[in-house]
Amino acid sequence: MIRGIDIGLAHPDDAPRIARMSRDLIEHGLGWRWTPARVLRLVRDDSTNVAVAREGTRIEGFGIMRYRDEDAHLMLLAVDARRRRGGLGRALMEWLEETALAAGIGVVRLEARASNHPARAFYRRLGYVEAMHVRGMYAHDEDGIRLAKDLWACA
Ligand SMILES: CC(C)(COP(=O)(O)OP(=O)(O)OC[C@H]1O[C@@H](n2cnc3c(N)ncnc32)[C@H](O)[C@@H]1OP(=O)(O)O)[C@@H](O)C(=O)NCCC(=O)NCCS
């Protein structure tokens, strides 16, 4: 729990802000794939949770996780640059992981750009293991890393 921050499900009206954050904080150099319309579809999708961290009416961070039969997939996660290293990323991940556990899901998978060393350090700190280095996973032949966490083992 972080003072003044409320974590919960996104509303349809939040889709444009989340999409802009994705474009500016995650997708830079890759082209804008997570447009407002695409994020809105996820907000409305029963098997996906779009979690936001709000301070008042402002969204300071968000995470999107899709829940499948056997595992969950983190699709996007970002915290506003001014609010980093304050525990918001961890709080969002814990919220999403708790939802996965409650649904009986024991594994979370995600991908990160190989060059994104801050995010890789963040995920490792949270117990994620770097399982595979994939050449050319992203546009412009950029390499990626597949990570996973066994929630049951870590619980
Ligand atoms: C990755 C990201 C979501 C982390 O959010 P955050 O709110 O800053 O993370 P937290 O404050 O919860 O960090 C938890 C722990 O992770 C580790 N960590 C976080 N950022 C780190 C960094 N830049 N370098 C090294 N370790 C880091 C630290 O151990 C930290 O604990 P500490 O601050 O007590 O040392 C954030 O940096 C971000 O939005 N980055 C840009 C978008 C992005 O890369 N998203 C991931 C795409 S795969």
Side-chain angles (χ1 to χ4, degrees), residues 56-85:
T57 56
R58 185 179 159 80
I59 293 175
E60 300 287 1
F62 75 94
I64 302 181
M65 190 173 280
R66 173 164 286 165
Y67 301 90
R68 308 185 284 210
D69 286 344
E70 304 289 332
D71 61 8
H73 181 224
L74 183 77
M75 303 167 86
L76 295 171
L77 176 78
V79 170
D80 189 285
R82 294 173 302 108
R83 298 302 300 256
R84 289 184 194 158
R85 301 307 288 266

PDB file of all heavy atoms in Angstrom, residues 56-85:
ATOM      1  N   GLY A  56      -5.385  10.576  -6.944  1.00  0.00           N
ATOM      2  CA  GLY A  56      -6.507  11.430  -7.325  1.00  0.00           C
ATOM      3  C   GLY A  56      -7.070  10.923  -8.633  1.00  0.00           C
ATOM      4  O   GLY A  56      -7.379   9.748  -8.764  1.00  0.00           O
ATOM      5  N   THR A  57      -7.149  11.807  -9.617  1.00  0.00           N
ATOM      6  CA  THR A  57      -7.696  11.379 -10.912  1.00  0.00           C
ATOM      7  C   THR A  57      -6.598  11.015 -11.901  1.00  0.00           C
ATOM      8  O   THR A  57      -6.881  10.546 -12.998  1.00  0.00           O
ATOM      9  CB  THR A  57      -8.535  12.516 -11.542  1.00  0.00           C
ATOM     10  OG1 THR A  57      -7.714  13.676 -11.645  1.00  0.00           O
ATOM     11  CG2 THR A  57      -9.764  12.818 -10.701  1.00  0.00           C
ATOM     12  N   ARG A  58      -5.336  11.226 -11.509  1.00  0.00           N
ATOM     13  CA  ARG A  58      -4.242  11.024 -12.465  1.00  0.00           C
ATOM     14  C   ARG A  58      -3.707   9.592 -12.406  1.00  0.00           C
ATOM     15  O   ARG A  58      -3.437   9.053 -11.325  1.00  0.00           O
ATOM     16  CB  ARG A  58      -3.119  12.013 -12.145  1.00  0.00           C
ATOM     17  CG  ARG A  58      -1.992  11.968 -13.137  1.00  0.00           C
ATOM     18  CD  ARG A  58      -0.923  12.990 -12.773  1.00  0.00           C
ATOM     19  NE  ARG A  58       0.342  12.619 -13.385  1.00  0.00           N
ATOM     20  CZ  ARG A  58       0.661  12.857 -14.642  1.00  0.00           C
ATOM     21  NH1 ARG A  58      -0.177  13.490 -15.430  1.00  0.00           N
ATOM     22  NH2 ARG A  58       1.830  12.474 -15.127  1.00  0.00           N
ATOM     23  N   ILE A  59      -3.528   8.986 -13.563  1.00  0.00           N
ATOM     24  CA  ILE A  59      -2.944   7.647 -13.643  1.00  0.00           C
ATOM     25  C   ILE A  59      -1.421   7.782 -13.630  1.00  0.00           C
ATOM     26  O   ILE A  59      -0.834   8.432 -14.492  1.00  0.00           O
ATOM     27  CB  ILE A  59      -3.412   6.924 -14.919  1.00  0.00           C
ATOM     28  CG1 ILE A  59      -4.910   6.639 -14.816  1.00  0.00           C
ATOM     29  CG2 ILE A  59      -2.634   5.624 -15.115  1.00  0.00           C
ATOM     30  CD1 ILE A  59      -5.502   6.027 -16.071  1.00  0.00           C
ATOM     31  N   GLU A  60      -0.791   7.164 -12.619  1.00  0.00           N
ATOM     32  CA  GLU A  60       0.668   7.253 -12.479  1.00  0.00           C
ATOM     33  C   GLU A  60       1.361   5.984 -12.969  1.00  0.00           C
ATOM     34  O   GLU A  60       2.575   5.956 -13.120  1.00  0.00           O
ATOM     35  CB  GLU A  60       1.035   7.505 -11.009  1.00  0.00           C
ATOM     36  CG  GLU A  60       0.468   8.793 -10.433  1.00  0.00           C
ATOM     37  CD  GLU A  60       1.170  10.039 -10.965  1.00  0.00           C
ATOM     38  OE1 GLU A  60       2.077   9.910 -11.793  1.00  0.00           O
ATOM     39  OE2 GLU A  60       0.799  11.147 -10.531  1.00  0.00           O
ATOM     40  N   GLY A  61       0.582   4.925 -13.154  1.00  0.00           N
ATOM     41  CA  GLY A  61       1.166   3.680 -13.629  1.00  0.00           C
ATOM     42  C   GLY A  61       0.055   2.732 -14.033  1.00  0.00           C
ATOM     43  O   GLY A  61      -1.102   2.910 -13.652  1.00  0.00           O
ATOM     44  N   PHE A  62       0.422   1.740 -14.818  1.00  0.00           N
ATOM     45  CA  PHE A  62      -0.589   0.753 -15.218  1.00  0.00           C
ATOM     46  C   PHE A  62       0.097  -0.573 -15.549  1.00  0.00           C
ATOM     47  O   PHE A  62       1.307  -0.621 -15.842  1.00  0.00           O
ATOM     48  CB  PHE A  62      -1.399   1.238 -16.440  1.00  0.00           C
ATOM     49  CG  PHE A  62      -0.625   1.158 -17.724  1.00  0.00           C
ATOM     50  CD1 PHE A  62      -0.724   0.042 -18.551  1.00  0.00           C
ATOM     51  CD2 PHE A  62       0.237   2.175 -18.100  1.00  0.00           C
ATOM     52  CE1 PHE A  62       0.013  -0.062 -19.724  1.00  0.00           C
ATOM     53  CE2 PHE A  62       0.980   2.095 -19.265  1.00  0.00           C
ATOM     54  CZ  PHE A  62       0.873   0.982 -20.078  1.00  0.00           C
ATOM     55  N   GLY A  63      -0.672  -1.630 -15.499  1.00  0.00           N
ATOM     56  CA  GLY A  63      -0.189  -2.945 -15.910  1.00  0.00           C
ATOM     57  C   GLY A  63      -1.333  -3.712 -16.542  1.00  0.00           C
ATOM     58  O   GLY A  63      -2.487  -3.582 -16.117  1.00  0.00           O
ATOM     59  N   ILE A  64      -1.018  -4.483 -17.570  1.00  0.00           N
ATOM     60  CA  ILE A  64      -2.058  -5.249 -18.270  1.00  0.00           C
ATOM     61  C   ILE A  64      -1.653  -6.716 -18.267  1.00  0.00           C
ATOM     62  O   ILE A  64      -0.565  -7.069 -18.734  1.00  0.00           O
ATOM     63  CB  ILE A  64      -2.243  -4.753 -19.723  1.00  0.00           C
ATOM     64  CG1 ILE A  64      -2.596  -3.264 -19.727  1.00  0.00           C
ATOM     65  CG2 ILE A  64      -3.309  -5.581 -20.430  1.00  0.00           C
ATOM     66  CD1 ILE A  64      -2.821  -2.680 -21.125  1.00  0.00           C
ATOM     67  N   MET A  65      -2.523  -7.550 -17.723  1.00  0.00           N
ATOM     68  CA  MET A  65      -2.234  -8.988 -17.647  1.00  0.00           C
ATOM     69  C   MET A  65      -3.412  -9.779 -18.212  1.00  0.00           C
ATOM     70  O   MET A  65      -4.564  -9.521 -17.872  1.00  0.00           O
ATOM     71  CB  MET A  65      -1.962  -9.408 -16.202  1.00  0.00           C
ATOM     72  CG  MET A  65      -1.432 -10.819 -16.075  1.00  0.00           C
ATOM     73  SD  MET A  65      -0.934 -11.224 -14.378  1.00  0.00           S
ATOM     74  CE  MET A  65       0.673 -10.457 -14.252  1.00  0.00           C
ATOM     75  N   ARG A  66      -3.057 -10.732 -19.071  1.00  0.00           N
ATOM     76  CA  ARG A  66      -4.086 -11.638 -19.614  1.00  0.00           C
ATOM     77  C   ARG A  66      -3.988 -12.967 -18.871  1.00  0.00           C
ATOM     78  O   ARG A  66      -2.896 -13.511 -18.703  1.00  0.00           O
ATOM     79  CB  ARG A  66      -3.886 -11.831 -21.114  1.00  0.00           C
ATOM     80  CG  ARG A  66      -4.819 -12.882 -21.694  1.00  0.00           C
ATOM     81  CD  ARG A  66      -4.906 -12.796 -23.193  1.00  0.00           C
ATOM     82  NE  ARG A  66      -5.700 -11.630 -23.614  1.00  0.00           N
ATOM     83  CZ  ARG A  66      -5.706 -11.146 -24.854  1.00  0.00           C
ATOM     84  NH1 ARG A  66      -4.962 -11.685 -25.774  1.00  0.00           N
ATOM     85  NH2 ARG A  66      -6.462 -10.113 -25.155  1.00  0.00           N
ATOM     86  N   TYR A  67      -5.123 -13.468 -18.442  1.00  0.00           N
ATOM     87  CA  TYR A  67      -5.179 -14.711 -17.673  1.00  0.00           C
ATOM     88  C   TYR A  67      -5.628 -15.837 -18.594  1.00  0.00           C
ATOM     89  O   TYR A  67      -6.674 -15.742 -19.229  1.00  0.00           O
ATOM     90  CB  TYR A  67      -6.135 -14.541 -16.484  1.00  0.00           C
ATOM     91  CG  TYR A  67      -5.692 -13.414 -15.579  1.00  0.00           C
ATOM     92  CD1 TYR A  67      -6.137 -12.118 -15.775  1.00  0.00           C
ATOM     93  CD2 TYR A  67      -4.771 -13.637 -14.564  1.00  0.00           C
ATOM     94  CE1 TYR A  67      -5.705 -11.071 -14.988  1.00  0.00           C
ATOM     95  CE2 TYR A  67      -4.325 -12.600 -13.768  1.00  0.00           C
ATOM     96  CZ  TYR A  67      -4.797 -11.321 -13.987  1.00  0.00           C
ATOM     97  OH  TYR A  67      -4.342 -10.282 -13.202  1.00  0.00           O
ATOM     98  N   ARG A  68      -4.787 -16.873 -18.672  1.00  0.00           N
ATOM     99  CA  ARG A  68      -5.101 -18.017 -19.527  1.00  0.00           C
ATOM    100  C   ARG A  68      -5.378 -19.222 -18.629  1.00  0.00           C
ATOM    101  O   ARG A  68      -5.409 -19.076 -17.407  1.00  0.00           O
ATOM    102  CB  ARG A  68      -3.932 -18.249 -20.479  1.00  0.00           C
ATOM    103  CG  ARG A  68      -3.556 -16.951 -21.231  1.00  0.00           C
ATOM    104  CD  ARG A  68      -2.488 -17.140 -22.280  1.00  0.00           C
ATOM    105  NE  ARG A  68      -1.143 -17.279 -21.756  1.00  0.00           N
ATOM    106  CZ  ARG A  68      -0.042 -16.898 -22.405  1.00  0.00           C
ATOM    107  NH1 ARG A  68      -0.126 -16.331 -23.596  1.00  0.00           N
ATOM    108  NH2 ARG A  68       1.160 -17.074 -21.882  1.00  0.00           N
ATOM    109  N   ASP A  69      -5.568 -20.412 -19.218  1.00  0.00           N
ATOM    110  CA  ASP A  69      -5.898 -21.586 -18.407  1.00  0.00           C
ATOM    111  C   ASP A  69      -4.750 -21.960 -17.479  1.00  0.00           C
ATOM    112  O   ASP A  69      -4.944 -22.217 -16.295  1.00  0.00           O
ATOM    113  CB  ASP A  69      -6.217 -22.783 -19.305  1.00  0.00           C
ATOM    114  CG  ASP A  69      -7.579 -22.625 -19.952  1.00  0.00           C
ATOM    115  OD1 ASP A  69      -8.348 -21.771 -19.474  1.00  0.00           O
ATOM    116  OD2 ASP A  69      -7.854 -23.330 -20.935  1.00  0.00           O
ATOM    117  N   GLU A  70      -3.548 -22.008 -18.036  1.00  0.00           N
ATOM    118  CA  GLU A  70      -2.407 -22.539 -17.290  1.00  0.00           C
ATOM    119  C   GLU A  70      -1.480 -21.454 -16.742  1.00  0.00           C
ATOM    120  O   GLU A  70      -0.704 -21.718 -15.838  1.00  0.00           O
ATOM    121  CB  GLU A  70      -1.572 -23.447 -18.204  1.00  0.00           C
ATOM    122  CG  GLU A  70      -2.347 -24.586 -18.843  1.00  0.00           C
ATOM    123  CD  GLU A  70      -2.725 -25.656 -17.836  1.00  0.00           C
ATOM    124  OE1 GLU A  70      -1.985 -25.807 -16.849  1.00  0.00           O
ATOM    125  OE2 GLU A  70      -3.752 -26.315 -18.037  1.00  0.00           O
ATOM    126  N   ASP A  71      -1.520 -20.278 -17.358  1.00  0.00           N
ATOM    127  CA  ASP A  71      -0.587 -19.235 -16.929  1.00  0.00           C
ATOM    128  C   ASP A  71      -1.195 -17.864 -17.213  1.00  0.00           C
ATOM    129  O   ASP A  71      -2.288 -17.763 -17.762  1.00  0.00           O
ATOM    130  CB  ASP A  71       0.774 -19.389 -17.640  1.00  0.00           C
ATOM    131  CG  ASP A  71       0.659 -19.270 -19.144  1.00  0.00           C
ATOM    132  OD1 ASP A  71      -0.433 -18.928 -19.643  1.00  0.00           O
ATOM    133  OD2 ASP A  71       1.663 -19.510 -19.827  1.00  0.00           O
ATOM    134  N   ALA A  72      -0.473 -16.835 -16.781  1.00  0.00           N
ATOM    135  CA  ALA A  72      -0.897 -15.462 -17.070  1.00  0.00           C
ATOM    136  C   ALA A  72       0.232 -14.787 -17.828  1.00  0.00           C
ATOM    137  O   ALA A  72       1.410 -15.142 -17.671  1.00  0.00           O
ATOM    138  CB  ALA A  72      -1.197 -14.717 -15.786  1.00  0.00           C
ATOM    139  N   HIS A  73      -0.121 -13.816 -18.663  1.00  0.00           N
ATOM    140  CA  HIS A  73       0.871 -13.136 -19.490  1.00  0.00           C
ATOM    141  C   HIS A  73       0.795 -11.636 -19.221  1.00  0.00           C
ATOM    142  O   HIS A  73      -0.257 -11.024 -19.414  1.00  0.00           O
ATOM    143  CB  HIS A  73       0.589 -13.424 -20.970  1.00  0.00           C
ATOM    144  CG  HIS A  73       1.579 -12.791 -21.883  1.00  0.00           C
ATOM    145  ND1 HIS A  73       1.240 -12.128 -23.027  1.00  0.00           N
ATOM    146  CD2 HIS A  73       2.926 -12.706 -21.802  1.00  0.00           C
ATOM    147  CE1 HIS A  73       2.331 -11.661 -23.613  1.00  0.00           C
ATOM    148  NE2 HIS A  73       3.354 -12.005 -22.898  1.00  0.00           N
ATOM    149  N   LEU A  74       1.911 -11.075 -18.744  1.00  0.00           N
ATOM    150  CA  LEU A  74       1.961  -9.626 -18.562  1.00  0.00           C
ATOM    151  C   LEU A  74       2.227  -8.996 -19.921  1.00  0.00           C
ATOM    152  O   LEU A  74       3.271  -9.226 -20.533  1.00  0.00           O
ATOM    153  CB  LEU A  74       3.068  -9.233 -17.582  1.00  0.00           C
ATOM    154  CG  LEU A  74       3.107  -7.730 -17.310  1.00  0.00           C
ATOM    155  CD1 LEU A  74       1.991  -7.309 -16.352  1.00  0.00           C
ATOM    156  CD2 LEU A  74       4.460  -7.296 -16.757  1.00  0.00           C
ATOM    157  N   MET A  75       1.302  -8.183 -20.377  1.00  0.00           N
ATOM    158  CA  MET A  75       1.425  -7.602 -21.716  1.00  0.00           C
ATOM    159  C   MET A  75       2.133  -6.256 -21.677  1.00  0.00           C
ATOM    160  O   MET A  75       2.958  -5.967 -22.542  1.00  0.00           O
ATOM    161  CB  MET A  75       0.025  -7.461 -22.329  1.00  0.00           C
ATOM    162  CG  MET A  75      -0.711  -8.791 -22.378  1.00  0.00           C
ATOM    163  SD  MET A  75      -2.461  -8.622 -22.728  1.00  0.00           S
ATOM    164  CE  MET A  75      -2.413  -8.591 -24.494  1.00  0.00           C
ATOM    165  N   LEU A  76       1.811  -5.434 -20.707  1.00  0.00           N
ATOM    166  CA  LEU A  76       2.411  -4.096 -20.607  1.00  0.00           C
ATOM    167  C   LEU A  76       2.501  -3.693 -19.141  1.00  0.00           C
ATOM    168  O   LEU A  76       1.629  -4.048 -18.342  1.00  0.00           O
ATOM    169  CB  LEU A  76       1.539  -3.055 -21.335  1.00  0.00           C
ATOM    170  CG  LEU A  76       1.357  -3.156 -22.850  1.00  0.00           C
ATOM    171  CD1 LEU A  76       0.288  -2.171 -23.306  1.00  0.00           C
ATOM    172  CD2 LEU A  76       2.670  -2.888 -23.568  1.00  0.00           C
ATOM    173  N   LEU A  77       3.524  -2.907 -18.825  1.00  0.00           N
ATOM    174  CA  LEU A  77       3.653  -2.341 -17.474  1.00  0.00           C
ATOM    175  C   LEU A  77       4.470  -1.063 -17.584  1.00  0.00           C
ATOM    176  O   LEU A  77       5.523  -1.055 -18.230  1.00  0.00           O
ATOM    177  CB  LEU A  77       4.387  -3.314 -16.545  1.00  0.00           C
ATOM    178  CG  LEU A  77       4.660  -2.779 -15.129  1.00  0.00           C
ATOM    179  CD1 LEU A  77       3.394  -2.849 -14.272  1.00  0.00           C
ATOM    180  CD2 LEU A  77       5.786  -3.562 -14.452  1.00  0.00           C
ATOM    181  N   ALA A  78       3.996  -0.001 -16.973  1.00  0.00           N
ATOM    182  CA  ALA A  78       4.802   1.234 -16.966  1.00  0.00           C
ATOM    183  C   ALA A  78       4.393   2.113 -15.794  1.00  0.00           C
ATOM    184  O   ALA A  78       3.231   2.113 -15.362  1.00  0.00           O
ATOM    185  CB  ALA A  78       4.638   2.012 -18.270  1.00  0.00           C
ATOM    186  N   VAL A  79       5.362   2.857 -15.313  1.00  0.00           N
ATOM    187  CA  VAL A  79       5.153   3.839 -14.252  1.00  0.00           C
ATOM    188  C   VAL A  79       5.670   5.177 -14.784  1.00  0.00           C
ATOM    189  O   VAL A  79       6.733   5.228 -15.428  1.00  0.00           O
ATOM    190  CB  VAL A  79       5.930   3.416 -12.979  1.00  0.00           C
ATOM    191  CG1 VAL A  79       5.939   4.540 -11.943  1.00  0.00           C
ATOM    192  CG2 VAL A  79       5.308   2.147 -12.390  1.00  0.00           C
ATOM    193  N   ASP A  80       4.928   6.232 -14.529  1.00  0.00           N
ATOM    194  CA  ASP A  80       5.359   7.573 -14.939  1.00  0.00           C
ATOM    195  C   ASP A  80       6.791   7.827 -14.438  1.00  0.00           C
ATOM    196  O   ASP A  80       7.125   7.482 -13.301  1.00  0.00           O
ATOM    197  CB  ASP A  80       4.391   8.590 -14.331  1.00  0.00           C
ATOM    198  CG  ASP A  80       4.634   9.980 -14.871  1.00  0.00           C
ATOM    199  OD1 ASP A  80       5.633  10.610 -14.457  1.00  0.00           O
ATOM    200  OD2 ASP A  80       3.840  10.421 -15.700  1.00  0.00           O
ATOM    201  N   ALA A  81       7.607   8.427 -15.297  1.00  0.00           N
ATOM    202  CA  ALA A  81       9.034   8.579 -14.975  1.00  0.00           C
ATOM    203  C   ALA A  81       9.256   9.310 -13.643  1.00  0.00           C
ATOM    204  O   ALA A  81      10.189   8.986 -12.903  1.00  0.00           O
ATOM    205  CB  ALA A  81       9.740   9.314 -16.107  1.00  0.00           C
ATOM    206  N   ARG A  82       8.369  10.273 -13.324  1.00  0.00           N
ATOM    207  CA  ARG A  82       8.559  11.046 -12.080  1.00  0.00           C
ATOM    208  C   ARG A  82       8.280  10.197 -10.835  1.00  0.00           C
ATOM    209  O   ARG A  82       8.645  10.588  -9.728  1.00  0.00           O
ATOM    210  CB  ARG A  82       7.613  12.256 -12.062  1.00  0.00           C
ATOM    211  CG  ARG A  82       7.897  13.305 -13.120  1.00  0.00           C
ATOM    212  CD  ARG A  82       6.810  14.371 -13.129  1.00  0.00           C
ATOM    213  NE  ARG A  82       5.491  13.778 -13.372  1.00  0.00           N
ATOM    214  CZ  ARG A  82       4.539  13.645 -12.460  1.00  0.00           C
ATOM    215  NH1 ARG A  82       4.709  14.088 -11.236  1.00  0.00           N
ATOM    216  NH2 ARG A  82       3.392  13.081 -12.766  1.00  0.00           N
ATOM    217  N   ARG A  83       7.563   9.082 -11.019  1.00  0.00           N
ATOM    218  CA  ARG A  83       7.135   8.297  -9.855  1.00  0.00           C
ATOM    219  C   ARG A  83       7.921   6.994  -9.676  1.00  0.00           C
ATOM    220  O   ARG A  83       7.577   6.182  -8.823  1.00  0.00           O
ATOM    221  CB  ARG A  83       5.642   7.960  -9.985  1.00  0.00           C
ATOM    222  CG  ARG A  83       4.721   9.152 -10.010  1.00  0.00           C
ATOM    223  CD  ARG A  83       4.889  10.004  -8.755  1.00  0.00           C
ATOM    224  NE  ARG A  83       4.588   9.241  -7.561  1.00  0.00           N
ATOM    225  CZ  ARG A  83       3.468   9.359  -6.852  1.00  0.00           C
ATOM    226  NH1 ARG A  83       2.562  10.228  -7.216  1.00  0.00           N
ATOM    227  NH2 ARG A  83       3.274   8.633  -5.776  1.00  0.00           N
ATOM    228  N   ARG A  84       8.966   6.816 -10.448  1.00  0.00           N
ATOM    229  CA  ARG A  84       9.690   5.533 -10.361  1.00  0.00           C
ATOM    230  C   ARG A  84      10.507   5.414  -9.084  1.00  0.00           C
ATOM    231  O   ARG A  84      10.833   6.406  -8.459  1.00  0.00           O
ATOM    232  CB  ARG A  84      10.603   5.366 -11.597  1.00  0.00           C
ATOM    233  CG  ARG A  84       9.745   5.119 -12.823  1.00  0.00           C
ATOM    234  CD  ARG A  84      10.546   4.844 -14.058  1.00  0.00           C
ATOM    235  NE  ARG A  84       9.641   4.964 -15.212  1.00  0.00           N
ATOM    236  CZ  ARG A  84      10.017   5.204 -16.437  1.00  0.00           C
ATOM    237  NH1 ARG A  84      11.294   5.322 -16.725  1.00  0.00           N
ATOM    238  NH2 ARG A  84       9.119   5.317 -17.405  1.00  0.00           N
ATOM    239  N   ARG A  85      10.821   4.189  -8.748  1.00  0.00           N
ATOM    240  CA  ARG A  85      11.579   3.810  -7.549  1.00  0.00           C
ATOM    241  C   ARG A  85      10.822   4.162  -6.270  1.00  0.00           C
ATOM    242  O   ARG A  85      11.424   4.319  -5.213  1.00  0.00           O
ATOM    243  CB  ARG A  85      12.982   4.444  -7.530  1.00  0.00           C
ATOM    244  CG  ARG A  85      13.855   4.072  -8.712  1.00  0.00           C
ATOM    245  CD  ARG A  85      13.992   2.580  -8.939  1.00  0.00           C
ATOM    246  NE  ARG A  85      14.801   1.855  -7.973  1.00  0.00           N
ATOM    247  CZ  ARG A  85      16.086   1.590  -8.123  1.00  0.00           C
ATOM    248  NH1 ARG A  85      16.718   2.022  -9.195  1.00  0.00           N
ATOM    249  NH2 ARG A  85      16.740   0.897  -7.219  1.00  0.00           N
TER     250      ARG A  85
END
